[in-house]
């Protein structure tokens, strides 16, 4: 009874502190919103407005038809019409165009003669990802052109051979925004929770009030709960808000169950509260806590698969990412949003989180008392 | 003593002091050496956009020679790791569980249709959750099919219709290795950290510890103070750049096609711009905590997201593209991509350098005006 | 050593300084102050915290711009030619402005470079400064590892690196042990005598005023008096008395009774006796002393007496506090705190070396010593905030580091710097601490009401704690520590950074609580505050210098034929003895 009474006082105090301080209030709302939109719009791999130049030495109806199908594609933007091969170097080197489509002088003749007609595509590889994706698009367009050609010329003689029919599951139009935005709730709530919890203890340490708490009849468990609750609550709030934002603003589908979403987010946020408290136990000032959080957040984002696939990492590093809570929640969120996972399906992501929560929280509680200077 | 001799004596004192402090303060070392190295290894190993050994299920409902030939080609690819599934539903199960990222289905009429000269379909299903990866897989897959087809054409196996083929050539990065563009971009991030965060922190620390007041009460001029704070961390930042360069070229095999002189020269311009920004922050903020917060918010995050080092800027919405123009890192990312992969292409380097130099001058002048020999 | 126009080095003319607060009301730090300092003369700026001393010195050093008026140093205007002034002036800021991660030699090198001392002259100059400050053997020690007194001397050496014509010292003796304080004064006088330098220094230690040639008393930004210190004391002749407490009463009981009575401006305990300053108009009524028969003896006035008489006493003088109901403990004299051969090491550094003492119920027990003596470390181990490297601690029979939360509920704790939640209001702070200690319902509201009236916080209930004036912060911290009527009260440096008035008020309250049977353990670096303790432990460099009642400790320094020594005299004797035995 007494303990509950004390705990209530502590919790009321923690919330008042956060809500009264304009800077803390801002941390909960301002940067997360900015991050949500910047990530949502800037962190995309979709390739749009690819500036390209054309060198058509054939100047036939066929070559014009091929180039027309390219210019009608919305991902491309024609910026120049070249007249000689010597211009190619310059336009690519100077980044005036990101790719050049070169149709040779014998293009239509070869096609008519039944010989393969090659179209050269020169791509600026300085951003290899854009280069590959743009090449993929051009491959699609040329494939479409071939099929149309075959249909028109089908005088019954022979066939174009193999045609690939591709379908993408879970994200039919391959929108990379879905990929990024569905995991955003996890990332942003992590940043908020880390900052709220790590600073809340460090602030008290710096101003000396933490000693007051330790001398007062609070048990470590009570302090732990009191310090965790605001982080958990505000983290949850942010995460759910951005989950809703993903669906309503960015139009990401939500195919899984709410229960799975809430359960996995809750486990994740509790784990991160533990990490935040650990960081703050190890720092003496707010500045150290902030830099500590930064030093944790950065690799944790890089190694989470949030921006780049975990599958592309070397094997040993892939194994290491299993210790990263963010990796699990990002996987869980994508499975829930895009693949329609329910609670039992995301269990493989939830139990590692629970395990890590136990470790981080107990260590943090122990450090409260044993690392005071 | 002559004024210039006094000036050199003051600079000697300040520089010696800064060097001793850097050497003795673990947090400077951590920010200047440990963090960049950690970032470099993290990015070098952890961040890659190149899909290799993508697990793919293959369902072969046709066992004719062309199907087996195609299969053999698939097996030889370094991009894919094929696993044979008994039936489509098993493969789909694997895909749903995340065991494979794609399914290739050779339908039972493949050989027959090819023999009849009719178009045969190969069905591919790709996990689209990671859209970028899915697109790359798609590209690899199409490339595979195309090479197979052109080979068949050469062999005259199928009398194919005339068709348009693609001869792609990726300049500057022939194998399209993502590391080649990620690591040079990362150097930007490292220099931003040293230039903005470290510079802002060390000055805020002098205020917090009360040593700034003692310095201000000496005949140190504003210019001396500015120079004394710029020079040591400039050297540190350039050393960090050099170290990153060595690691990038030797360990990660990133090519350096431009000249080293150009790289160091242009890095210096960028470093000064970053430091100018850091100095501006520290002129206004005298608390380490706030200085760190602002450096991360206004320095690090834009350098990561609005610089084009990972995400292509030209594909972002217009407002974001416009915002990116005030981020110094954006210009240096362009410079370092060009220098590493393309070479000394001055028509690209020059405009970026001019803008950076303008920013460096602006920030430095602002910082000089803001630096006061007074406490208010 | 008089102020003639010829040797005036610093001239402050109707100086105003207003700090524009962002969001807060602006602060008028200086309101039309004029004064002068002459060569070969030590001029002291005396005043409590917030009087404007540092602002004045900083303007003189060219670090701040005056809002109105001007400061001329060596004939140069501090706004127009700060760089020129800085060439000729040595300035030591508060906290000495040293680079703690540079060693003694490197700090001196830096200042020599900045001041443009030619390399050829350095060897001689360094040798002289090191000999003067006694830092010769420590040139390779990091400044951060120096004791407070040594840091102060290094700061001084750096300020003197280029034989300046004027020395500006901002609170040079704060937190420094008495031995070092005396040494600093010796050095300053040596300098003034040998080189005829002008010295302007600020201090909040009133006893130091007497050492200056000339003093200016600042109060809330205004100069309220100026002159040689002797003139101040002379005005007080006939207004200062000493009351010898009777055997049946403790000095602090008598002092508490007298403080704040009609006509009495100040009552302090000096060497076991109560010193009174009267307003010179009211005759002290005999009834004040009842039931004791106390005779007043006239005493020689000192600067502090004059200062207390000068300061306008705006706040109602603290009345003897209304006391909380005594906690339900039997009034035995049992041991409440027991410490045996306590030690603490941080790495290779031994912060506390084998302390043993005990504190009895109802006692005011003081831990005294300069900054860095190890008192805070000892204190934190007592409260269970720090683990001991060796030895035993028992508070109310338990070691608080391992004790249950119930054991901790019986003590009150007031941390250094009045650690409260600055964003929370007074009421919210009190509510939180009350509930934290298990108060609720009617008892909580009764205790909060008590705190509001007792500490005069009622009008400020809704103010955020961070916006309270210094004295009120201390009151709130104390109220929070006492809300749950603890048996034992731990107070860490409750009087540091508090002006002399608030310090007197604080000790009156503490007296009151001790009378009610509350055990008080308190740390302080003000030696004169030892007189308010029943027993005390004096520490220096982690070791016990002395343990006993104030009278016992004074006894240690008593020499035949001299007048009664103070605790500070005792400390100096003891510290020198311990150095001698070590050497």
């Amino acid at each position: 009874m007494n303990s509950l009474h004390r705990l209530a006082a502590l919790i009321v105090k923690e919330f008042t502190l956060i809500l009264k301080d304009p800077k803390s209030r801002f941390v909960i709302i301002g940067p997360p919103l900015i991050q949500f939109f910047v990530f949502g719009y800037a962190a995309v791999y979709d390739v749009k407005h690819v500036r390209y130049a054309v060198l058509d030495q054939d100047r036939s109806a066929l070559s014009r038809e091929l180039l027309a199908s390219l210019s009608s594609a919305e991902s491309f933007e024609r910026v120049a019409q070249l007249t000689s091969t010597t211009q190619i170097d310059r336009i690519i080197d100077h980044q005036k165009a990101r790719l050049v489509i070169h149709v040779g002088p014998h293009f239509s003749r070869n096609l008519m003669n039944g010989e393969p007609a090659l179209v050269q595509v020169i791509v600026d590889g300085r951003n290899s990802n854009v280069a590959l994706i743009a090449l993929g698009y051009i491959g699609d367009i040329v494939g479409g052109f071939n099929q149309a050609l075959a249909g028109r010329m089908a005088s019954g003689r022979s066939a174009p051979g193999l045609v690939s029919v591709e379908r993408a599951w879970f994200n039919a139009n391959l929108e990379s925004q879905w990929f990024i935005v569905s995991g955003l709730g996890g990332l942003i709530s992590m940043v908020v929770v880390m900052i709220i919890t790590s600073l809340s203890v460090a602030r008290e340490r710096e101003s000396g009030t933490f000693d007051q708490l330790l001398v007062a009849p609070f048990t470590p468990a009570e302090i732990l709960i009191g310090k965790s609750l605001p982080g958990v609550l505000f983290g949850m709030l942010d995460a759910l808000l951005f989950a809703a934002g993903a669906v309503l603003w960015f139009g990401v589908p939500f195919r899984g169950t709410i229960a799975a979403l809430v359960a996995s987010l809750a486990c994740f946020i509790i784990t991160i509260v533990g990490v935040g408290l650990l960081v703050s136990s190890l720092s003496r000032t707010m500045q150290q806590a902030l830099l500590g959080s930064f030093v944790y957040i950065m690799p944790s984002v890089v190694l989470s698969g949030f921006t780049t696939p975990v599958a592309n990492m070397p094997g040993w590093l892939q194994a290491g990412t299993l210790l990263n809570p963010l990796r699990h929640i990002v996987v869980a969120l994508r499975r829930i949003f895009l693949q329609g996972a329910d609670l039992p399906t995301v269990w493989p992501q939830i139990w590692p989180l629970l395990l890590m929560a136990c470790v981080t929280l107990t260590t943090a509680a122990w450090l409260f008392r044993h690392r005071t200077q | 003593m002559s004024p210039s001799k006094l000036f050199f004596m003051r600079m000697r004192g300040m520089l010696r002091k800064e060097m001793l402090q850097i050497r003795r303060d673990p947090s400077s070392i951590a920010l200047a050496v440990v963090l960049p190295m950690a970032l470099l290894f993290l990015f070098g190993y952890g961040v890659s956009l190149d899909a290799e050994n993508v697990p793919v299920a293959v369902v072969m409902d046709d066992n004719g020679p062309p199907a087996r030939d195609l299969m053999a080609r698939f097996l030889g690819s370094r991009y894919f790791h094929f696993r044979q599934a008994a039936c489509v539903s098993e493969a789909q199960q694997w895909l749903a569980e995340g065991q494979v990222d794609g399914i290739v289905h050779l339908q039972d009429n493949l050989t027959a249709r090819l023999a009849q000269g009719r178009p045969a379909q190969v069905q591919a299903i790709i996990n689209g959750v990671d859209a970028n990866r899915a697109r790359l897989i798609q590209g690899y897959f199409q490339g595979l099919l195309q090479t197979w087809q052109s080979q068949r054409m050469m062999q005259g196996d199928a009398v194919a219709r005339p068709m348009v083929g693609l001869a792609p050539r990726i300049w500057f990065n022939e194998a399209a290795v993502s590391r080649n563009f990620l690591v040079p971009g990362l150097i930007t991030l490292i220099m931003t950290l040293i230039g903005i965060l470290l510079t802002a922190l060390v000055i805020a620390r002098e205020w917090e510890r009360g040593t700034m007041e003692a310095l201000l009460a000496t005949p140190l001029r504003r210019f001396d103070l500015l120079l004394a704070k710029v020079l040591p961390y400039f050297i540190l930042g350039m050393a960090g750049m050099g170290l990153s360069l060595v690691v990038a070229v030797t360990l990660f095999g990133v090519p350096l096609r431009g000249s080293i002189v150009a790289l160091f020269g242009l890095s210096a311009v960028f470093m000064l711009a970053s430091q100018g920004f850091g100095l501006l922050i520290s002129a206004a903020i005298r608390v380490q905590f706030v200085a760190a917060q602002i450096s991360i918010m206004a320095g690090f995050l834009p350098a990561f997201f609005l610089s084009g080092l990972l995400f292509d800027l030209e594909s972002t919405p217009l407002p974001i593209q416009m915002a990116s123009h005030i981020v110094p890192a954006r210009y240096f990312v362009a410079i370092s991509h060009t220098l590493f992969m393309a070479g000394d292409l001055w028509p690209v380097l020059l405009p970026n350098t001019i803008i950076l130099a303008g920013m460096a001058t602006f920030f430095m002048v602002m910082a000089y005006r803001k630096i006061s020999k007074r406490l208010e | 050593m008089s102020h003639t126009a010829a040797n005036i080095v610093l001239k402050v003319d109707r100086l105003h300084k207003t700090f524009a607060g962002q969001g807060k009301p602006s602060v008028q730090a200086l309101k039309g102050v004029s004064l002068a300092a002459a060569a070969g003369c030590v001029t002291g700026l005396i005043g409590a915290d917030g009087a404007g001393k540092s602002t004045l010195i900083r303007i003189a050093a060219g670090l701040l711009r005056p809002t109105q008026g001007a400061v001329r140093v060596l004939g140069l205007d501090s706004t127009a030619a700060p760089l020129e002034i800085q060439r000729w002036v040595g300035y030591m800021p508060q906290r000495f402005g040293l680079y703690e991660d540079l060693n003694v030699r490197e700090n001196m090198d830096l200042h020599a470079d900045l001041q443009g001392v030619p390399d050829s002259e350095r060897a001689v100059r360094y040798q002289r400064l090191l000999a003067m400050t006694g830092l010769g053997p420590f040139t390779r020690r990091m400044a951060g590892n120096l004791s407070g007194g040594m840091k102060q001397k290094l700061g001084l050496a750096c300020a003197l690196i280029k034989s300046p014509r004027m020395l500006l010292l901002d609170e040079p003796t704060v937190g420094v042990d008495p031995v070092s304080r005396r040494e600093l004064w010796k050095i300053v006088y040596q300098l003034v005598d040998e080189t005829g330098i002008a010295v302007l220094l600020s201090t909040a230690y009133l006893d130091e005023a007497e050492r200056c040639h000339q003093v200016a008393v600042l109060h809330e930004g205004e100069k309220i008096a100026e002159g040689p210190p002797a003139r101040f004391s002379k005005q007080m002749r006939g207004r200062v008395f000493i009351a010898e407490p009777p055997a049946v009463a403790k000095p602090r009981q008598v002092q508490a009774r007298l403080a704040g009575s009609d006509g009495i401006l100040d009552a302090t305990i000096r060497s076991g006796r109560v010193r009174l300053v009267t307003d010179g108009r009211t005759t002290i009524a005999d009834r004040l002393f009842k039931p004791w028969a106390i005779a007043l003896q006239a005493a020689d006035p000192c600067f502090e007496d004059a200062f207390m008489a000068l300061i306008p006493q705006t706040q109602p003088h603290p009345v003897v506090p209304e006391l909380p109901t005594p906690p339900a403990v039997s009034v035995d004299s049992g041991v409440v705190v027991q410490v045996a051969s306590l030690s603490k090491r941080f790495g290779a550094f031994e912060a506390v070396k084998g302390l043993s003492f005990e504190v009895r119920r109802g006692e005011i027990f003081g831990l005294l010593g300069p900054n860095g003596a190890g008192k805070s470390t000892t204190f934190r181990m007592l409260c269970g905030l720090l683990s001991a490297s060796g030895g035993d601690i028992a508070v109310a029979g338990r070691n608080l580091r391992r004790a249950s939360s119930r054991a901790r509920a019986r003590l009150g704790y007031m941390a250094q710097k009045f650690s409260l939640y600055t964003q929370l209001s007074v009421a919210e702070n009190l509510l939180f601490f009350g509930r934290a200690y298990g108060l609720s319902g009617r008892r909580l509201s009764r205790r909060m009401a008590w705190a509001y009236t007792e500490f005069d916080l009622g009008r400020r209930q809704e103010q955020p704690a961070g916006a309270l004036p210094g004295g009120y912060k201390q009151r709130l911290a104390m109220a929070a520590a006492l809300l749950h009527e603890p048996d034992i009260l731990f107070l860490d440096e409750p009087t540091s950074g508090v002006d002399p008035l608030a310090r007197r008020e604080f000790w009156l309250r503490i007296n009151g609580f001790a009378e009610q049977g509350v055990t008080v353990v308190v740390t302080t670096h003000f030696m004169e505050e030892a007189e308010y303790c029943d027993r005390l432990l004096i520490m220096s460099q982690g070791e016990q210098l002395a343990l006993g009642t104030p009278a016992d400790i004074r006894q240690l320094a008593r020499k035949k034929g001299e007048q009664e020594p103070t605790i500070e005299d005792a400390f100096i004797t003891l510290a020198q003895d311990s150095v001698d035995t070590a050497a």
Side-chain angles (χ1 to χ4, degrees), chain A residues 35-346:
Chain A
Q35 285 164 9
F36 184 67
F37 287 107
V38 168
F39 276 110
Y41 285 116
V44 286
Y45 291 109
D46 302 330
V47 171
K48 288 178 192 144
H49 323 294
V50 177
R51 289 172 291 114
Y52 73 101
V54 164
L55 174 56
D56 184 0
Q57 294 177 316
D58 191 47
R59 292 171 185 279
S60 64
L62 270 175
S63 72
R64 273 194 290 274
E65 190 186 335
L66 175 70
L67 295 173
S69 62
L70 202 63
S71 59
S72 63
E74 59 169 346
S75 307
F76 292 91
E77 206 178 292
R78 185 189 292 194
V79 290
Q81 184 92 40
L82 306 184
T83 49
S84 98
T85 46
T86 51
Q87 292 171 315
I88 297 179
D89 276 24
R90 204 180 143 76
I91 201 156
I92 293 280
D93 281 358
H94 297 184
Q95 295 182 321
K96 300 282 182 253
R98 301 185 112 178
L99 57 87
V100 173
I101 303 204
H102 179 195
V103 181
H106 311 300
F107 178 75
S108 49
R109 204 180 67 199
N110 285 353
L111 267 184
M112 292 309 185
N113 294 350
E115 284 165 35
L118 280 185
V119 171
Q120 252 203 346
V121 184
I122 295 119
V123 201
D124 181 349
R126 273 172 272 194
N127 186 328
S128 61
N129 198 53
V130 171
L132 286 179
I133 304 272
L135 272 179
Y137 284 156
I138 292 182
D140 281 349
I141 291 167
V142 170
F145 177 79
N146 277 338
Q147 248 175 328
L149 202 64
R152 239 183 309 137
M153 294 183 159
S155 43
R157 210 159 58 101
S158 83
L162 270 188
V163 176
S164 74
V165 180
E166 287 148 10
R167 270 191 300 140
W169 275 17
F170 312 126
N171 185 358
N173 295 327
L174 290 181
E175 305 218 30
S176 76
Q177 208 171 41
W178 289 12
F179 172 71
I180 296 286
V181 172
S182 58
L184 259 186
L187 177 78
I188 296 178
S189 63
M190 175 173 90
V191 175
V192 172
V193 168
M194 277 295 287
I195 289 185
I196 288 186
T197 50
S198 70
L199 289 188
S200 87
V201 179
R203 183 181 293 124
E204 294 218 25
R205 252 178 224 284
E206 207 174 277
S207 64
T209 45
F210 201 64
D211 287 353
Q212 298 268 26
L213 286 189
L214 290 177
V215 171
F218 291 112
T219 63
E222 286 165 8
I223 299 182
L224 187 76
I225 296 174
K227 286 280 159 205
S228 310
L229 224 55
V232 171
L233 197 92
F234 289 118
M236 238 7 227
L237 208 69
D238 273 338
L240 292 176
L241 187 72
F242 293 131
V247 175
L248 300 176
W249 183 269
F250 287 109
V252 179
F254 185 80
R255 299 178 177 136
T257 62
I258 302 267
L261 180 74
V262 172
S264 47
L265 277 175
C267 293
F268 169 69
I269 286 169
I270 291 171
T271 314
I272 294 302
V273 164
V275 177
L277 290 177
L278 263 184
V279 167
S280 68
S281 304
L282 294 173
S283 22
R284 237 171 276 161
T285 61
M286 288 167 75
Q287 183 235 345
Q288 286 176 353
L290 184 73
L291 287 184
S293 306
F294 179 64
V295 165
Y296 172 82
I297 289 173
M298 211 166 35
S300 132
V301 173
V302 170
L303 298 179
S304 68
F306 174 68
T307 50
T308 54
V310 171
N312 295 354
M313 299 174 193
W316 54 271
L317 202 55
Q318 287 193 34
T321 61
L322 291 175
L323 292 173
N324 181 2
L326 188 62
R327 179 212 153 118
H328 295 286
I329 193 67
V330 163
V331 172
L333 285 174
R334 285 179 185 149
R335 298 186 68 173
I336 294 166
F337 270 94
L338 305 178
Q339 291 179 247
D342 55 4
L343 200 50
T345 326
V346 288

Side-chain angles (χ1 to χ4, degrees), chain B residues 1 9 12-13 16-17 20-21 24 206 208 211 213 215-220 373-376, chain C residues 17 58 62-65 79 86 91 95 98-99 101 106 110 113-117 119 122 142:
Chain B
M1 267 193 289
M9 196 184 265
R12 177 183 75 180
R16 191 159 52 186
K17 178 218 104 182
L20 285 169
Q21 279 192 305
R24 287 179 191 155
E206 293 234 24
E208 261 180 21
T211 48
E213 190 174 340
L215 280 188
L216 294 185
T218 66
L220 198 69
K373 277 267 314 195
R374 300 183 200 268
L375 292 169
E376 7 179 22
Chain C
K17 179 68 194 175
R58 283 170 170 172
L63 294 175
L64 289 177
R65 223 170 266 167
T79 320
Q86 283 153 359
Y91 169 68
R95 296 191 290 149
L98 299 169
Y99 287 94
D101 40 7
E106 287 158 356
L110 171 66
D113 283 336
L114 293 179
Q115 290 287 359
V117 179
D119 290 344
R122 288 190 189 182
M142 291 297 156

Side-chain angles (χ1 to χ4, degrees), chain C residues 1 3 7-10 37-43 73-74 87-91 125 128-129 132 156-157 159-169 185-201 213:
Chain C
M1 255 158 278
H3 283 57
N7 62 4
I8 293 287
V9 172
L10 171 120
C41 189
V42 179
T43 309
V73 182
L74 304 161
R87 240 183 272 286
W88 299 109
V89 165
Y91 169 68
R125 189 77 199 147
R128 192 175 131 63
L129 287 171
M132 191 164 81
L156 190 63
L160 290 171
I161 207 95
K162 196 198 173 181
S163 321
R165 290 179 52 193
M166 170 153 207
L167 193 55
L168 298 171
L169 305 174
W185 279 98
K186 230 171 71 191
I187 298 173
V188 167
Y189 270 98
Q190 197 185 338
L191 271 170
V192 170
D193 291 344
E194 288 173 12
T195 63
I197 189 176
V199 178
L200 176 69
L201 63 81
H213 294 120

Side-chain angles (χ1 to χ4, degrees), chain B residues 23 25 43-44 53 76 94 98 106 165 243 249 280 304 306 328 346 353:
Chain B
R23 223 172 59 205
D25 176 34
F43 265 66
N53 293 322
W94 289 350
L106 307 182
L243 200 62
V249 173
L280 208 53
F304 196 101
L306 300 179
W346 288 104
T353 310

